[in-house]
Amino acid sequence: ILRAVFLQGSDDTRQKQGKAKVPAVVAKRAAELRATPLEERPVLLEVTGLTKRFGGITAVDDVTFDLREGEILGLIGPNGAGKTTIFDLVSGHLDLDGGRLVLGGVDITDMGADRRAALGLGRSFQDARIFPAMTVAENIAIGLERHIEVRDHLSSLLDLPAVQASEDDVAWTVDDLVELMNLGAFRNKFVGELSTGSRRIVDLAMAIAHDPRVLLLDEPSSGIAQKETEALGPLLTRIQQETGCGMLVIEHDMPLITTISDEIVALELGAVVTRGSAEEVLSDERVVSAYLGGDIDVIQRSGATATTRRRS
């Protein structure tokens, strides 16, 4: 009954007017990035000497790396290698014991998580943090909250033209993201009704709605089926290509991370072991020994061995 009363016929008429498109400015910048060699792109995120201790245990030990515009950088390592702790430090959920963080040329070392988010740092978590009693479209709209231009309660009460225009902008962007993430069939379904894989895609859509310059993805394939994992790689690649954001991805599924990543950073005991292409990292004896238990065949989790993306 609730679905019939509140959701039936609630599809926005904009859907019937044609497919939503990625904004022209974003699409143009993304095209420019694809034509630019990785080493010539500007650095978005600089991590220098990152250090974190818990009592007498050093969880992150002098970690240094950078992320360039439009790059997908993978982080791999065994459990306890410090991957999620690095995400917590970069996103501002943990305080540093040492090191420096620079986002888009701005030193964010001493900033809180909210200020880092306002500068364009987005993050997803291993457990999808979304609202199960709301629809897919409503959840994505929540992700757009920081982009709402009119916040005056009186204007909203009177439904002034500025408020209407702001709400239209949000609705159009929701349409864009629903199409980008192939969520059209679930647009008006309650999130609590979706599979784990579909909820993960909604979580990604909300992270993208934030319009991040840098997006941190913590094990996006966690808890989803193998078939959904295989479909996740092309989706993440498409997101990067159409938005141009830089992605830092933690992932244990080796075919997935090697397929989507431009480069991979391997960690062990909180320190960087090596960085390079997928072939270089997976052929490093230290990585094979520490992460794969000495057996390279362990990487065959999601199907045939993946090949690394190539960019001109």
Side-chain angles (χ1 to χ4, degrees):
I1 295 174
L2 287 172
R3 179 176 298 280
V5 172
F6 293 107
L7 297 181
Q8 183 66 32
S10 63
D11 289 346
D12 199 297
T13 56
R14 284 182 294 273
Q15 289 185 295
K16 301 176 182 179
Q17 297 173 1
K19 292 184 177 180
K21 303 296 182 183
V22 175
V25 174
V26 175
K28 180 180 179 181
R29 179 55 183 162
E32 291 174 352
L33 285 175
R34 290 195 293 271
T36 304
L38 184 61
E39 62 274 10
E40 296 180 11
R41 300 176 190 174
V43 174
L44 284 180
L45 177 66
E46 300 174 63
V47 176
T48 306
L50 204 62
T51 302
K52 181 63 181 178
R53 301 180 184 88
F54 296 100
I57 299 174
T58 301
V60 178
D61 187 7
D62 194 26
V63 169
T64 297
F65 62 85
D66 57 47
L67 176 70
R68 295 183 179 274
E69 189 173 1
E71 178 182 12
I72 299 181
L73 180 63
L75 287 185
I76 67 170
N79 291 332
K83 304 182 298 296
T84 298
T85 303
I86 289 174
F87 268 26
D88 288 339
L89 295 171
V90 172
S91 60
H93 291 86
L94 283 177
D95 295 328
L96 304 177
D97 288 327
R100 183 168 178 260
L101 296 166
V102 178
L103 177 63
V106 179
D107 192 325
I108 62 171
T109 306
D110 298 322
M111 292 184 182
D114 57 335
R115 294 184 63 192
R116 297 183 192 193
L119 289 173
L121 183 64
R123 179 182 178 178
S124 73
F125 294 82
Q126 292 183 29
D127 53 330
R129 301 189 176 186
I130 49 184
F131 302 94
M134 301 178 70
T135 68
V136 168
E138 289 168 344
N139 270 276
I140 296 175
I142 288 175
L144 293 162
E145 190 274 337
R146 84 178 182 99
H147 300 290
I148 296 176
E149 297 180 358
V150 181
R151 299 175 179 273
D152 180 64
H153 297 299
L154 181 59
S155 298
S156 298
L157 178 64
L158 298 175
D159 196 24
L160 297 180
V163 173
Q164 296 177 17
S166 180
E167 291 178 350
D168 284 344
D169 289 341
V170 169
W172 276 108
T173 306
V174 169
D175 286 347
D176 292 338
L177 291 170
V178 165
E179 183 196 356
L180 177 64
M181 307 298 286
N182 296 318
L183 288 169
F186 308 110
R187 176 188 176 91
N188 290 314
K189 287 185 177 294
F190 294 115
V191 167
E193 300 175 347
L194 305 182
S195 67
T196 300
S198 297
R199 289 198 300 271
R200 179 73 63 186
I201 301 305
V202 176
D203 185 45
L204 285 173
M206 293 179 69
I208 298 168
H210 179 69
D211 191 22
R213 301 175 66 188
V214 172
L215 181 57
L216 312 181
L217 301 179
D218 193 352
E219 296 194 36
S221 72
S222 175
I224 66 177
Q226 178 176 323
K227 183 176 181 180
E228 293 172 321
T229 298
E230 293 170 354
L232 186 60
L235 176 61
L236 293 178
T237 301
R238 184 185 176 199
I239 291 170
Q240 183 277 320
Q241 290 176 344
E242 297 203 21
T243 65
C245 70
M247 289 186 184
L248 190 60
V249 184
I250 294 174
E251 185 53 63
H252 284 292
D253 188 285
M254 299 308 294
L256 173 60
I257 197 66
T258 55
T259 299
I260 67 174
S261 297
D262 295 292
E263 289 189 329
I264 293 176
V265 173
L267 300 165
E268 183 183 10
L269 299 177
V272 175
V273 175
T274 186
R275 174 176 178 168
S277 67
E279 292 93 339
E280 293 169 342
V281 171
L282 294 183
S283 63
D284 190 294
E285 293 182 359
R286 296 168 296 175
V287 176
V288 174
S289 176
Y291 185 70
L292 302 176
D295 185 359
I296 198 69
D297 291 335
V298 174
I299 70 174
Q300 305 300 325
R301 174 182 176 274
S302 293
T305 303
T307 56
T308 307
R309 286 194 308 162
R310 297 291 187 183
R311 289 189 178 177
S312 57

